[in-house]
Amino acid sequence: MCFRRATTALLALLLGAASFGAHGVDEKDLLPVDQAFAFEAKASSRDTIALTWRIAPGYYLYRHRTSVESSDFVGAALSMPPGKHKRDEFFGDVETYRTSLEAQVTGTPANDAGTVTLKVKYQGCADVGVCYPPQTRMVQVALPSAAASRLFDAPAPAGPLQFGVAKGEPLPEAQAFTIEAIADGGNGLLVRFAPAPGYYLYRDKTQLAFDGEGITLGAPKWPGGRQYRDEHFGDVVVFFDPVDVAVPVRRTHARPVDGTLRVTFQGCQDGGICYPVMTRALPVSLPAGEVSAPAADVPTLAEDQRLAQNLGGKQRAWTLLLFFVYGLGLAFTPCVLPMVPILSGLIAGRGERIGAWRGFSLSAVYVLASAVVFTIAGVFAGLLGAAANLQAAMQNAWVLGAFALLFVVLSLSMFGLYELQLPAGLRARLGAASDRQRGGSWVGVAAMGALSALIVGPCVAPPLMGAVLYIAQTRDPVLGGAALFLLALGMGAPLIAFGIAAGRGMPTSGPWMMAVQRVFGFVFLGLAIWMISRVIPAAWTLALWGLLALGAATWAFTLGSKPRSRLAARFAGLVLAVVGAAELLGGFAGGHDPLQPLSGLRGEQREAIAFKRIKSVADLDREVAAARAAGKPLMLDFYADWCVSCKEMEKYVFTQPKVHAALRDYVLLQADVTANDAQDQALMQRFGIIGPPMSLFFRDGRERRELRLTGFEEADAFVERAQHGAAR
């Protein structure tokens, strides 16, 4: 008999599918099963539970396909009203229900039971000839307390009751938040969240996981929620009304799967309590589906991995040449460009025409010294890891302050202030230092080049990380060091060309040379501000730029011995005065962008991504495990206050709306390694990182190493990278 019923049910499904095709019904014209048959269960007393189905027009339910089972509601018996008789082509003489079905389940719960679990089965069809698969719902129904149950038999009290809970008091969690889940075909789930009136759910505190062979979940597709100022968690996105969330399903096989959807969520009563984190286990039967294809166009190796692999391959000569070419490209980045005014000031400091050969020799010494120090630092970083990151060690306030003071001293020599009547001993020492720089001393230039390599040298980039990774993997400092040296020479090649041009074109002694020295004096002051901007508040930096521009404007008004030159100088002074006033006003208003000093006054500052800061390896492991359990991708961004490219990423990438959209489903973490302490070094060593900026992408608890981003990247390319990181 059971076999016959099962065969009949299967035949009904097959005939329904055939009817679907025969009548040419579009699947989109059919309602989702929970809209066609909206189901609800509520306790009217401790021994009676009301079951209600609201049936859409054009749809009907079978009486004989409806049943209830329960292990904790002893003697559960289902009472149903008579249905309408129908001669069904699949099941013969049956009874059906249209518009609505109201039934009751009676039984006996345990004395202290607060809820009972019912397993409700039902099946229905559409008039167009399509039958839905049999549905199974596991529902938890909150029961009124024994005392409250007795009140229902007494005269009604003054305050109305709601299932044994007084008005205004928080509902049991099962009544406050109803969650249902059904299969949306073989490659999707539909999860319905239905808060009770006066209650809301947090979007970003909801996590989904599926327990089933070969099944993983994609990022949930939430509809737009309500921006809400929550007293517990601040600005959040919440849902007060029922919401349907589509969840993509990725599968390694096409077979049907019976599994459990685990929903972890949190919600609150509006103006009342906030419930603790809750978890519901919902049984879901996935029909056969399509095997998910792997994400296309995802690189197999990150750029630094590819370069490290090439260094160990057969085409080493071409790879070394490629490192030199990469260096040429890095020469024009904001990290390296400050070397140009440093070298120019050293050449201009002589005060007379020095010639192309002298300009070449000074530039070559500067570049070679910086290349040697850069190579040594890179080799040590590769052999010893993040603990040997000399560049990070040089980025503390004392070192940067001392280097900025050196630029101030050099600028004062350009302004000729050492000729003032200072004490004889101090005047002699300052004069000797100034003369050494003006004489173009090779030793002084080499020392400046070495310091520049560590403090204003290049930011972390794929070529640098590629060479360091090769050294770390092969313990071959010779070939890896050669790659770093060629990279540094590539960065210095434009400096040598500039030095030759400066040596040949530098004006002779006289008024022109004095003007050039004053210009470089302001340039050196600008470099001093640029140095300390890494360790002082942005508003202070903006104010210092304003004072510098106002000082340059004051000097410009004193120039010009002829009418035309005087007019040009005063026009330049006027422009500098306006710029300086804007920078100073922006600094006082709390601005932070020297290129847009008044943007804060206009309220045009774009909101950056809100990262959650972590510090230790343990913090990271905890967050990665939580993201894995929630089925969410995770991005870890390494940041430091002294990192120029980090500031570029914050300003030009992480403020873009399209980047916000691409990272919407991510768990976003940021490790601030400014201090470069033991915890920072341990976290960087965990991934073989020598310094920021670096963005790592995780999925299912593992890093997607091929997507690791080293250095700065434009917003469009970053969006594509983030989309690959979210795919499975």
Side-chain angles (χ1 to χ4, degrees), residues 384-389 392-393 614-619 638 671-687 689:
L384 302 179
N389 187 1
I614 64 169
K615 181 66 176 177
S616 65
V617 173
D619 293 341
F638 282 88
D672 186 348
V673 295
T674 301
N676 195 38
D677 56 21
Q679 286 186 310
D680 294 341
Q681 292 172 12
L683 191 57
M684 289 189 288
Q685 286 176 340
R686 169 81 169 267
F687 302 102
I689 294 173

Side-chain angles (χ1 to χ4, degrees), residues 192-443:
R192 164 166 288 190
F193 297 88
Y199 292 77
Y200 59 88
L201 285 168
Y202 297 103
R203 183 192 68 186
D204 296 333
K205 293 186 176 296
T206 303
Q207 302 173 352
L208 305 175
F210 191 86
D211 295 337
E213 180 188 359
I215 302 297
T216 54
L217 302 181
K221 299 178 180 179
W222 291 91
R226 184 190 302 183
Q227 294 290 334
Y228 187 71
R229 181 66 181 177
D230 186 85
E231 61 176 318
H232 304 285
F233 302 108
D235 293 324
V236 292
V237 176
V238 300
F239 295 96
F240 280 86
D241 300 318
V243 58
D244 293 332
V245 181
V247 184
V249 171
R250 297 186 62 84
R251 52 197 310 159
T252 60
H253 60 79
R255 302 186 304 274
V257 176
D258 290 329
T260 302
L261 177 68
R262 300 191 182 278
V263 184
T264 302
F265 64 99
Q266 189 171 12
C268 296
Q269 181 185 27
D270 191 15
I273 69 166
C274 199
Y275 290 75
V277 176
M278 298 163 277
T279 299
R280 303 269 176 89
L282 308 176
V284 178
S285 296
L286 282 172
E290 298 179 359
V291 177
S292 303
D297 301 326
V298 179
T300 57
L301 291 176
E303 190 172 0
D304 61 324
Q305 288 179 306
R306 179 172 52 80
L307 288 171
Q309 186 181 75
N310 290 341
L311 275 176
K314 297 180 180 180
Q315 304 294 330
R316 295 185 177 183
W318 288 106
T319 304
L320 290 174
L321 179 61
L322 182 63
F323 271 83
F324 181 81
V325 174
Y326 271 116
L328 287 174
L330 288 174
F332 301 98
T333 63
C335 298
V336 184
L337 282 178
M339 289 184 172
V340 174
I342 293 175
L343 180 59
S344 303
L346 295 176
I347 294 175
R350 182 174 176 85
E352 60 184 52
R353 184 185 297 275
I354 63 175
W357 171 252
R358 185 64 171 171
F360 167 77
S361 62
L362 291 174
S363 303
V365 169
Y366 180 87
V367 169
L368 287 173
S370 63
V372 168
V373 173
F374 178 75
T375 301
I376 293 174
V379 169
F380 272 98
L383 294 176
L384 302 179
N389 187 1
L390 296 181
Q391 186 183 14
M394 297 289 286
Q395 304 301 321
N396 63 71
W398 292 104
V399 174
L400 291 174
F403 204 68
L405 181 61
L406 174 60
F407 279 121
V408 172
V409 171
L410 292 176
S411 70
L412 295 180
S413 71
M414 295 292 181
F415 291 126
L417 295 183
Y418 295 152
E419 299 175 3
L420 297 176
Q421 294 299 319
L422 297 173
L426 178 60
R427 187 169 65 249
R429 286 193 291 271
L430 290 176
S434 176
D435 288 341
R436 282 196 295 271
Q437 289 301 326
R438 291 181 177 179
S441 166
W442 285 0
V443 175

